């Protein structure tokens, strides 16, 4: 049962990245964070539950702790309740919502006086099954929101940048997009959400992109791989022959050697992480087409000059 519960919750939280309208139940926001509380104090937050069914529904509230697994940040819900999952209280255990309506739910986070300083993490579920039903919340129709709490005190912000390069260490591209990836290790006691830019400098000047477009978070004692993409027009990329690739290169044109500089900041004090990598973009379809046009133009000029000279000779002007 425990294995089924965990697998069910993993699938649930992956589905939470979809629009709430695609589910029978919806919750917004998906993440409640930046909750900074001192030991012995409390804070209130809210989320909204949406009943997207055609009938009235009763929802029950359940809290569980969670962690992440692997460098993709796969969310794993733990069945045991401890820490933050036991510090969250609701004014009621269930609520009934009419069809196609929503309700704002307030919950209170009460931090014990002896709570450890640092990051604490939990998931709040709205389920159509009572918490004491045998199959568990993870196997019923439910959605949840992740709660990130930072308990003040002797906190350690220690994030290390392990690597930064193009995806697959690719050094040569014919056109954009260029996919970047970097790995971050969190050796601190609170979760980190790095922010910053990747600056591309090349023959055609400079441009930059968001270094963490999905706002990925790294929990303590974990490593996270984060991706970012430099592209001008992602919708214009197609698969096909020479002419299709020529259009791809034209719509996502870049040429020459580029240096990509990663500049990140994290933590309350805004600590910085910087590094860089290099790659080349050679749009050979565009270059070949330009070369053929140039050769054709030169040939046309030569033939035209020969025609003009021949005409002049026939008319006796030469």
């Amino acid at each position: 049962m425990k294995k089924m519960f965990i697998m069910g919750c993993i699938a649930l939280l992956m589905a939470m990245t979809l629009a709430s309208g695609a589910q029978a139940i919806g919750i917004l926001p998906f993440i409640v964070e930046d909750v900074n509380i001192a030991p012995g104090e409390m804070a209130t937050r809210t989320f909204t539950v949406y009943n997207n069914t055609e009938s009235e529904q009763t929802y029950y509230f359940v809290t569980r702790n969670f962690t992440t697994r692997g460098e993709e940040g796969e969310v794993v819900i733990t069945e045991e309740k401890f820490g933050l999952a036991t510090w969250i209280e609701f004014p009621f255990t269930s609520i009934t919502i009419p069809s196609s309506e929503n309700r704002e739910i307030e919950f209170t986070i009460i931090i014990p006086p002896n709570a450890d300083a640092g990051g604490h993490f939990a998931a709040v579920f709205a389920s159509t099954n009572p918490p004491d039903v045998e199959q568990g919340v993870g196997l019923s129709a439910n959605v949840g929101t992740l709660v990130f709490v930072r308990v003040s005190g002797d906190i350690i912000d220690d994030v290390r940048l392990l690597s930064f390069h193009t995806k697959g260490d690719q050094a040569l591209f014919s056109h954009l997009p260029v996919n970047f990836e970097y790995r971050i290790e969190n050796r601190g006691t609170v979760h980190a959400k790095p922010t910053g830019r990747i600056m591309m400098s090349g023959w055609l000047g400079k441009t930059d992109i968001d270094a963490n477009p999905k706002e990925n978070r790294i929990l303590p004692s974990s490593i996270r791989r984060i991706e970012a993409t430099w592209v001008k027009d992602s919708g214009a990329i197609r698969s096909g022959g020479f002419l299709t690739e020529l259009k791809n290169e034209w719509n996502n044109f870049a040429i020459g050697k580029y240096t990509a500089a990663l500049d990140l900041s994290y933590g309350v004090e805004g600590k910085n992480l910087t590094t860089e990598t290099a790659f080349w973009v050679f749009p050979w379809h565009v270059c070949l087409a330009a070369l053929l046009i140039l050769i054709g133009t030169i040939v046309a000029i030569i033939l035209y000059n020969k025609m003009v000279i021949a005409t002049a000779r026939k008319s006796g002007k030469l």
Side-chain angles (χ1 to χ4, degrees):
M1 174 181 172
K2 181 177 181 180
K3 183 178 180 180
M4 292 178 64
F5 177 86
I6 294 175
M7 292 179 65
C9 289
I10 292 173
L12 157 69
L13 290 175
M14 289 178 64
M16 280 173 15
T17 59
L18 301 175
S20 62
Q23 304 176 51
I25 313 171
I27 279 188
L28 286 177
F30 295 141
I31 294 177
V32 176
E33 65 174 347
D34 299 328
V35 185
N36 300 299
I37 319 176
E41 296 186 355
M42 66 177 64
T44 59
R45 293 293 187 272
T46 61
F47 61 87
T48 302
V49 178
Y50 297 81
N51 178 6
N52 298 318
T53 69
E54 296 181 355
S55 61
E56 182 180 82
Q57 294 287 336
T58 297
Y59 300 109
Y60 303 87
F61 303 110
V62 178
T63 58
R64 292 288 188 272
N65 292 87
F66 76 90
T67 184
T68 57
R69 178 171 57 199
E71 295 188 4
E72 298 295 326
E74 176 187 19
V75 174
V76 179
I77 304 296
T78 58
E79 189 172 7
E80 297 80 12
K81 289 186 64 174
F82 59 92
L84 182 57
T86 64
W87 304 343
I88 295 176
E89 296 184 357
F90 295 92
F92 37 77
T93 58
S94 66
I95 188 172
T96 299
I97 303 177
S99 170
S100 302
E101 294 191 14
N102 64 80
R103 293 290 185 272
E104 186 177 79
I105 310 300
E106 183 177 88
F107 63 95
T108 304
I109 305 169
I110 304 173
I111 307 299
N114 60 345
D116 293 333
H120 298 267
F121 320 102
V124 177
F125 293 95
S127 171
T128 54
N129 283 339
D132 57 351
V133 171
E134 179 63 23
Q135 68 259 40
V137 64
L139 303 179
S140 64
N142 59 87
V143 292
T145 185
L146 304 181
V147 182
F148 293 77
V149 170
R150 180 185 178 111
V151 177
S152 60
D154 188 13
I155 290 175
I156 300 174
D157 269 321
D158 185 4
V159 173
R160 309 292 175 91
L161 184 60
L162 302 181
S163 63
F164 171 58
H165 48 73
T166 59
K167 194 169 183 178
D169 274 328
Q170 186 174 344
L172 179 63
F173 299 83
S174 62
H175 59 79
L176 306 183
V178 175
N179 296 309
F180 299 98
E181 64 179 27
Y182 56 94
R183 297 171 65 245
I184 285 186
E185 181 180 10
N186 187 352
R187 300 184 181 181
T189 57
V190 293
H191 77 280
K193 187 178 72 174
T195 60
R197 312 294 295 178
I198 299 177
M199 172 71 74
M200 274 67 65
S201 303
W203 296 353
L204 301 180
K206 296 182 179 181
T207 187
D208 63 354
I209 60 172
D210 189 344
N212 189 6
K214 296 183 179 179
E215 299 186 342
N216 290 316
R217 297 155 180 82
I218 308 99
L219 267 58
S221 303
S222 66
I223 296 175
R224 186 74 186 268
R225 181 172 60 84
I226 298 176
E227 297 184 3
T229 300
W230 177 31
V231 65
K232 293 180 180 178
D233 186 359
S234 59
I237 301 172
R238 299 289 186 272
S239 298
F242 183 89
L243 292 179
T244 301
E245 286 301 316
L246 175 63
K247 186 177 180 180
N248 287 338
E249 292 176 1
W250 183 258
N251 291 328
N252 282 280
F253 184 80
I255 188 169
K257 182 180 180 181
Y258 287 86
T259 298
L262 175 66
D263 186 359
L264 297 173
S265 63
Y266 71 94
V268 177
E269 299 177 359
K271 298 180 180 180
N272 284 98
L273 298 169
T274 59
T275 189
E276 63 181 35
T277 188
F279 58 92
W280 286 80
V281 181
F282 180 64
W284 69 270
H285 294 85
V286 170
C287 291
L288 180 57
L291 179 60
L292 292 175
I293 292 173
L294 177 61
I295 293 173
T297 302
I298 294 173
V299 169
I301 292 173
I302 292 173
L303 292 176
Y304 176 77
N305 288 336
K306 286 184 176 181
M307 183 183 68
V308 171
I309 293 172
T311 302
R313 283 176 177 172
K314 287 182 179 180
S315 61
K317 294 181 180 180
L318 287 178

